[in-house]
Amino acid sequence: MDSVHFDLLIRNGTIVTSGSVALGDIGIQDGKIAAIGKLSGLTSQETIDADNLYVLPGLIDTQVHFREPGLEHKEDLESGTRAAIHGGVTGILEMPNTNPTTTSATALTDKLIRARGRAWCHYGFFVGATTENIGDLKRLEELPGTPGIKIFMGSSTGSLLVGDDDNLRRVLQAGRKRCPIHAEDEPRNRERKSLISDHPHPREHPFLRDAESARIATERILRLSKETERPVHILHVSTGEEPRLIAQAKNLGLQTTAEVTPQHLYFHAPDCYDRLGSLAQMNPPIRSLEHQTVLWKALEEGVFDVFGSDHAPHTLEEKAQPYPSSPSGMPGVQTMLSVLFTFVSQGRLSPSKLVAMACERPAELYGIRGKGRLEVGFDADIVLVDPGRKRVFERSMVQSKCGWSPYEGEELTGWVEHVILCGSVVIRENERIGAPLGQMLRFEG
């Protein structure tokens, strides 16, 4: 082995996988992981000293909204992927609620063309289910560049909203890949709009879009998933009731998976609304400490499969509109890893579980080829993190075009030092270098 020569050698790092945390080296050749272990004596064109750093697979954020086309004033594919790579996210799956919506092969192709040469990380784009494109969904979910079909049961408008059981059943029957689900009950949400006060405040958001709305929708989609035998993935679980329903479905052998966001674990009502106002407004809402406590318990018990940021930026001007005219959504792709490492520093999350839920499992759920693992033969998409570094997140650090973050002023522990994409260093000592190298993700057939 003395003659082995690598393009890049990561030395003396703490290599973190879902099964182990151990000191070691990683040799990279031709954009792939070529060797892992004690590689002393071997040469390389470039070396990174990872002493006192954790070495992880690049994170895969399976729920982001990058707003292009049609809403580029608040985000676009360049700025969104730039925010991602600064946060150690090397792959994203982007949602279809752009303008026009991503509901056809033409719209998907347009996004893929737009991303080419502009994306700082790897990318795939969900196609949205509508009541009009059901007949095309089997074909659409197999197209290159898409992980599958997204279903909005609530919190959407126009044709992207599929709220009734008959059409939901038809969508689930039209294909085989795992469907991510925004599970809120649209009829209940509409009914509760009449309960708004005369001078509403964002703190009313979790009352108007209440926990019962999420419970009803999750119960409905799990029943339809069982009936149709279609795998479903419940996004941004926010209530104390949903984990029980999801655990029951898993115990019955259903192909049910679920996501929890860092912000639902970090913020709670009413505190976040009192401090941040509409900046804390998202769908489904940040809820009370009682709900959050159950989410943490469910995380510890293994109910959740992945972390996702639900990065959904709006401008400060848009957010400043009086509630409920203020739009729902917040940026989060850049801060996801540091928030999760803050939980690690608090002893609430292990490094291995972080890697399982933010790297390995996302790739497994959507069949992403060559990604999500530190194993020989896998693509060299790697992030090096200083797990003990403390830093206050400031507005000047925001990469997203929206220009703000709900974590401004928060001291987070665990920061990205280096990011490697396809074997090339793209973030060095927290500074971006080179040109965008992101590529279209490849999905298993």
Side-chain angles (χ1 to χ4, degrees):
M1 289 189 68
D2 291 344
S3 63
V4 172
H5 184 86
F6 300 114
D7 296 328
L8 177 64
L9 186 58
I10 302 170
R11 289 198 180 278
N12 306 315
T14 301
I15 299 172
V16 184
T17 72
S18 62
S20 66
V21 179
L23 291 174
D25 310 322
I26 297 179
I28 296 167
Q29 184 71 30
D30 297 327
K32 294 189 180 294
I33 297 172
I36 301 176
K38 296 296 183 182
L39 305 178
S40 56
L42 302 184
T43 61
S44 62
Q45 294 182 22
E46 184 178 1
T47 300
I48 294 177
D49 181 6
D51 190 36
N52 295 318
L53 300 180
Y54 278 0
V55 183
L56 286 68
L59 273 64
I60 301 173
D61 192 343
T62 53
Q63 189 186 184
V64 301
H65 304 261
F66 283 169
R67 308 302 192 196
E68 184 178 351
L71 301 165
E72 291 94 335
H73 66 282
K74 51 186 138 194
E75 194 75 286
D76 59 36
L77 292 171
E78 187 279 330
S79 63
T81 55
R82 174 164 29 99
I85 206 74
H86 273 271
V89 175
T90 58
I92 57 92
L93 301 182
E94 205 260 353
M95 292 297 170
N97 52 334
T98 45
N99 186 18
T101 54
T102 317
T103 53
S104 67
T106 300
L108 173 62
T109 299
D110 177 62
K111 276 190 175 178
L112 292 169
I113 291 171
R114 288 169 178 268
R116 197 176 301 152
R118 294 173 60 220
W120 291 94
C121 70
H122 305 313
Y123 51 87
F125 300 108
F126 281 104
V127 173
T130 75
T131 55
E132 288 82 28
N133 71 355
I134 293 174
D136 298 325
L137 293 179
K138 284 184 180 181
R139 175 180 61 87
L140 290 172
E141 75 170 6
E142 301 294 344
L143 292 175
T146 183
I149 307 301
K150 164 72 178 287
I151 300 175
F152 289 90
M153 295 177 68
S155 187
S156 192
T157 57
S159 63
L160 271 180
L161 184 63
V162 184
D164 64 285
D165 282 7
D166 287 343
N167 279 309
L168 284 168
R169 183 181 293 107
R170 292 173 62 212
V171 169
L172 293 175
Q173 289 171 336
R176 58 180 183 83
K177 289 187 175 181
R178 185 175 305 277
C179 286
I181 310 290
H182 184 120
E184 286 185 288
D185 190 71
E186 191 65 17
R188 182 174 179 86
N189 287 349
R190 289 175 179 169
E191 288 173 6
R192 292 183 66 79
K193 284 182 179 179
S194 64
L195 303 178
I196 196 165
S197 65
D198 292 336
H199 302 287
H201 186 276
R203 74 172 67 90
E204 294 183 42
H205 197 55
F207 166 74
L208 294 172
R209 302 184 80 98
D210 67 350
E212 184 67 0
S213 170
R215 186 200 65 78
I216 291 170
T218 296
E219 195 170 60
R220 287 172 56 210
I221 200 66
L222 291 178
R223 173 174 47 80
L224 290 167
S225 171
K226 180 180 180 182
E227 177 186 328
T228 61
E229 299 184 346
R230 182 71 178 270
V232 296
H233 179 64
I234 311 300
L235 297 170
H236 39 47
V237 174
S238 65
T239 75
E241 277 294 300
E242 290 168 283
R244 177 182 60 83
L245 298 172
I246 293 162
Q248 287 176 351
K250 289 186 173 190
N251 290 337
L252 290 172
L254 301 185
Q255 295 187 64
T256 304
T257 54
E259 167 198 271
V260 66
T261 76
Q263 57 266 37
H264 281 109
L265 297 171
Y266 192 94
F267 299 109
H268 64 83
D271 170 75
C272 64
Y273 300 104
D274 292 338
R275 290 191 299 110
L276 300 172
S278 62
L279 299 185
Q281 177 188 337
M282 66 172 290
N283 296 331
I286 307 291
R287 303 192 190 277
S288 68
L289 194 58
E290 288 78 11
H291 287 287
Q292 187 186 79
T293 299
V294 179
L295 296 182
W296 272 106
K297 186 171 186 292
L299 176 64
E300 293 164 6
E301 294 175 348
V303 175
F304 298 121
D305 299 86
V306 303
F307 295 112
S309 74
D310 193 15
H311 175 89
H314 302 281
T315 66
L316 285 168
E317 182 181 11
E318 291 167 332
K319 279 290 197 177
Q321 297 177 71
Y323 181 81
S325 297
S326 48
S328 293
M330 62 178 69
V333 68
Q334 183 180 348
T335 48
M336 180 164 71
L337 183 145
S338 288
V339 173
L340 294 177
F341 260 101
T342 299
F343 297 150
V344 171
S345 74
Q346 295 167 347
R348 307 192 75 180
L349 179 68
S350 72
S352 287
K353 190 158 191 173
L354 188 161
V355 167
M357 292 180 61
C359 311
E360 296 181 7
R361 196 76 173 110
E364 292 170 0
L365 289 187
Y366 293 108
I368 305 174
R369 296 181 190 171
K371 306 296 185 186
R373 289 184 175 273
L374 296 181
E375 293 182 10
V376 171
F378 273 67
D379 295 339
D381 299 331
I382 300 171
V383 57
L384 282 69
V385 178
D386 184 342
R389 183 181 181 188
K390 297 179 183 293
R391 192 176 183 186
V392 175
F393 192 77
E394 300 173 351
R395 182 165 293 184
S396 62
M397 299 159 65
V398 174
Q399 295 291 326
S400 171
K401 191 183 280 190
C402 74
W404 63 275
S405 168
Y407 295 99
E408 291 172 36
E410 300 286 334
E411 184 180 72
L412 303 178
T413 302
W415 289 86
V416 171
E417 290 294 319
H418 310 285
V419 179
I420 297 157
L421 198 72
C422 302
S424 297
V425 179
V426 291
I427 299 286
R428 179 180 285 123
E429 296 179 353
N430 203 34
E431 295 294 327
R432 190 176 67 257
I433 59 175
L437 299 178
Q439 301 172 359
M440 181 184 78
L441 291 168
R442 298 166 297 137
F443 302 94
E444 301 292 346

